[in-house]
Amino acid sequence: MKSVQNGILAERVSYEIPPNTVDYHQFNLQCINGERDPSNHGSNWDIGPITNVEPALELFKFIETKDLYKDKLLGASVQGAIHDIGNEGKISDFVWSQLKKLPNK
């Protein structure tokens, strides 16, 4: 059993890799397990599964039109929402109030 952080990619990402090339690209994953240390470049990880947890799907749909990088403090509320979902099964009212302040793309 792996004891490192579990992560989830909260934003839809499209990244094209040209044929016959090797490329490295950093994706900004959100940590799911609030009580675990973040992973690092030496951590082992597995791909999948995609979640079907309703509060997570609601969050992902909401942030599709939001700019998560214009205001880094507000953007960090996505991490708070992921922790809420992982720990409580829902997003707290406070975190929702912060998410609603995110500017549109």
Side-chain angles (χ1 to χ4, degrees), residues 62 66 71 74 94 96-104:
F62 177 80
K66 301 300 179 183
D71 183 323
L74 286 176
F94 173 75
W96 264 122
S97 72
Q98 297 304 299
L99 290 168
K100 290 176 181 174
K101 296 176 185 177
L102 285 166
N104 290 327

Side-chain angles (χ1 to χ4, degrees), residues 6-14 26-32 49-51 56 60 63 69 78 82:
N6 291 298
I8 192 163
L9 186 59
E11 273 189 293
R12 183 181 311 271
V13 174
S14 176
Q26 177 179 330
F27 293 104
N28 295 316
L29 288 111
Q30 305 294 323
C31 297
I32 296 175
I50 306 226
T51 187
F60 302 154
I63 65 173
Y69 305 100
V78 174
I82 297 293

Side-chain angles (χ1 to χ4, degrees), residues 15-77:
Y15 186 70
E16 186 172 327
I17 301 171
N20 303 315
T21 64
V22 174
D23 194 44
Y24 297 93
H25 186 79
Q26 177 179 330
F27 293 104
N28 295 316
L29 288 111
Q30 305 294 323
C31 297
I32 296 175
N33 306 94
E35 71 282 357
R36 292 187 185 172
D37 290 332
S39 60
N40 60 55
H41 69 280
S43 297
N44 293 321
W45 51 275
D46 295 324
I47 294 178
I50 306 226
T51 187
N52 61 359
V53 173
E54 192 58 41
L57 297 175
E58 182 181 2
L59 172 66
F60 302 154
K61 182 170 178 54
F62 177 80
I63 65 173
E64 279 183 355
T65 61
K66 301 300 179 183
D67 184 337
L68 305 183
Y69 305 100
K70 186 172 188 176
D71 183 323
K72 293 191 186 294
L73 289 176
L74 286 176
S77 60

